[in-house]
């Protein structure tokens, strides 16, 4: 693709280009414009595309090559994290405080003052959560939210969006419990989108975009039934 495709919200999510047409530099930039309505977001994820932009920018759609993915069985449980899990320092829940998790994920990071989780993105994913497609996993220290993550579940793919930790290892504990739960529910991969040293340490790996797109198409062919995870998560067998 030699130039960026501009989209109109009126054209619907079917106007999203083929991910194979994404730019090489910046890696994966595919289109601008469109909408963050639920039908756009759900359609984009099923096509291997996700929105990512900062305040003041139009909606930007991406499909990088390669893609970063994590299979639940590949999660690397370090010795220190194993000890923390055994001590049960954090209580972990699902879909009990989506607003708290996404708001914390949007907060400032030590390495940057900007955020791509804009008010528009918060509103869009909160709507997806209300519809039963977006989910959060929370790690609690007493009654305080200590860490967590959120993402979108379609078919057998969990499309991870962001995580945060206010206390050491809180997000890793939430992620470990989330992966155990998702695996038991039949999920095969977690889409981590972009690479990072943190994700690599947890077991995430690069996957060629063509392979990722084929896998996602197969695993989301039957999107599943949306709904909250809270009760099923709390009814799962206890894992020391």
């Amino acid at each position: 693709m030699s130039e960026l495709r501009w989209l109109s919200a009126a054209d619907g999510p079917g106007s999203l280009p083929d991910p194979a047409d994404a730019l090489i530099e910046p890696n994966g930039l595919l289109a601008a414009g469109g909408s963050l309505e639920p039908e756009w977001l759900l359609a984009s994820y099923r096509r291997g595309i996700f929105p990512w932009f900062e305040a003041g920018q139009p909606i930007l759609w991406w499909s990088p090559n390669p893609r970063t993915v994590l299979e639940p069985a590949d999660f690397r449980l370090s010795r220190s994290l194993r000890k923390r899990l055994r001590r049960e320092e954090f209580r972990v829940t699902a879909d009990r405080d989506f607003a708290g998790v996404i708001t914390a994920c949007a907060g400032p990071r030590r390495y940057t003052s900007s955020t791509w989780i804009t008010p528009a993105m918060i509103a869009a994913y909160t709507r997806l959560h209300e519809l039963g497609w977006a989910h959060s996993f929370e790690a609690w220290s007493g009654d305080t939210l200590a860490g967590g993550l959120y993402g979108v579940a379609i078919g057998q793919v969990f499309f991870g969006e962001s995580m945060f930790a206010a206390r050491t290892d809180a997000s890793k504990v939430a992620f470990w419990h989330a992966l155990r739960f998702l695996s038991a529910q039949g999920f095969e991969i977690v889409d981590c989108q972009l690479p990072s040293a943190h994700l690599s340490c947890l077991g995430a790996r690069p996957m060629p975009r063509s392979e990722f797109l084929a896998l996602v198409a197969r695993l989301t062919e039957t999107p599943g039934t949306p709904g909250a995870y809270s009760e099923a998560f709390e009814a799962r067998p206890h894992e020391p």
Side-chain angles (χ1 to χ4, degrees), residues 29-238:
L29 181 58
L30 182 64
S35 170
L36 292 176
E37 288 298 311
E39 59 269 24
W40 277 79
L41 291 173
L42 294 174
S44 69
Y45 281 116
R46 294 182 74 180
R47 295 185 60 192
I49 303 166
F50 60 89
W52 184 37
F53 61 99
E54 295 184 3
Q57 295 178 334
I59 300 170
L60 299 176
W61 301 93
W62 302 77
S63 185
N65 185 29
R67 193 67 159 247
T68 301
V69 302
L70 175 64
E71 296 178 40
D74 290 341
F75 183 82
R76 293 175 185 161
L77 184 59
S78 67
R79 183 178 301 177
S80 61
L81 183 56
R82 189 185 299 273
K83 289 181 179 178
R84 198 177 295 278
L85 286 164
R86 287 175 176 168
R87 289 197 297 267
E88 297 185 343
E89 294 182 24
F90 303 107
R91 175 175 59 91
V92 180
T93 59
D95 287 337
R96 291 300 185 186
D97 193 1
F98 185 88
V101 170
I102 195 170
T103 299
C105 287
R109 308 283 175 136
R110 65 179 183 274
Y111 51 84
T112 180
S113 59
S114 63
T115 179
W116 56 269
I117 307 175
T118 64
M121 289 283 274
I122 291 175
Y125 284 85
T126 298
R127 179 59 178 150
L128 272 191
H129 173 67
E130 293 169 348
L131 293 172
W133 295 104
H135 302 278
S136 60
F137 295 89
E138 306 91 13
W140 302 87
S141 177
D143 294 327
T144 301
L145 188 61
L149 63 131
Y150 76 96
V152 177
I154 306 175
Q156 297 165 283
V157 183
F158 187 80
F159 298 90
E161 280 296 313
S162 187
M163 62 174 61
F164 86 98
R167 289 189 53 183
T168 301
D169 286 344
S171 62
K172 292 180 182 178
V173 169
F175 194 27
W176 184 84
H177 281 281
L179 288 173
R180 300 281 286 187
F181 173 77
L182 292 169
S183 180
Q185 300 298 312
F187 284 76
E188 293 193 18
I189 63 167
V190 173
D191 171 29
C192 301
Q193 299 180 349
L194 300 168
S196 71
H198 175 67
L199 290 170
S200 294
C201 288
L202 296 179
R205 63 180 176 86
M207 177 181 287
R209 181 169 56 208
S210 58
E211 182 181 342
F212 174 80
L213 296 177
L215 183 61
V216 166
R218 176 175 65 83
L219 295 179
T220 64
E221 185 175 5
T222 302
T225 303
Y229 284 164
S230 48
E231 292 186 4
F233 185 85
E234 290 162 17
R236 76 198 191 287
H238 177 70

